Amino acid sequence: MNFKDSKAIYLQIADRICDEVLLGQYPEEERIPSVREYAAVVEVNANTVMRSYDYLQTQGVIYNKRGIGYFVSSGARTLILSLRKEYFLREEADYFFKQLYTLGISTDELTEMYREFSKKQK
């Protein structure tokens, strides 16, 4: 996994796991790879993955069944979408809108760009 310097590695791993939940790779109430297994996949120390799992557990995205492993929480997909939407609106939207305004990009241009983007996603 390629990591960015601008964000802690354990948070980037947590984001990746959330992406995998959203894409259905890890369904709700199903087991996710062990800390060691996931550490091997992303090529980091197991302690870093453990920190990611702890973080996701405090967020309510996963839970631990002692002696069995970590599982995706019921409602995790909805929770992840909600947390990401909240983060985007709180942390990123203002900068995004400022750039649109500064660059003179109209709402019509943005709407058309979004339509084209949405078509490509299907």
Side-chain angles (χ1 to χ4, degrees), residues 59-121:
Q59 296 293 306
V61 174
I62 63 174
Y63 64 94
N64 187 13
K65 286 187 181 179
R66 191 169 194 162
I68 300 174
Y70 286 91
F71 291 75
V72 177
S73 299
S74 180
R77 190 176 193 287
T78 302
L79 175 62
I80 292 165
L81 290 171
S82 175
L83 291 170
R84 285 190 173 179
K85 183 177 181 178
E86 180 185 319
Y87 177 82
F88 176 79
L89 293 173
R90 186 184 69 244
E91 300 293 332
E92 297 177 5
D94 189 54
Y95 177 78
F96 175 74
F97 288 127
K98 187 178 217 175
Q99 291 301 311
L100 292 175
Y101 180 79
T102 302
L103 298 171
I105 299 172
S106 70
T107 54
D108 291 337
E109 287 176 279
L110 183 61
T111 300
E112 185 55 35
M113 289 173 68
Y114 185 72
R115 280 193 189 116
E116 290 299 317
F117 173 81
S118 294
K119 286 179 191 175
K120 291 177 187 174
Q121 301 306 306

Side-chain angles (χ1 to χ4, degrees), residues 16-27 77 80 84:
R16 177 182 166 146
I17 293 168
C18 287
D19 289 344
E20 292 165 342
V21 169
L22 292 176
L23 293 170
Q25 188 171 343
Y26 302 131
R77 190 176 193 287
I80 292 165
R84 285 190 173 179

Side-chain angles (χ1 to χ4, degrees), residues 39-50:
V41 169
V42 295
E43 300 175 331
V44 298
N45 186 294
N47 291 329
T48 304
V49 173
M50 188 67 229

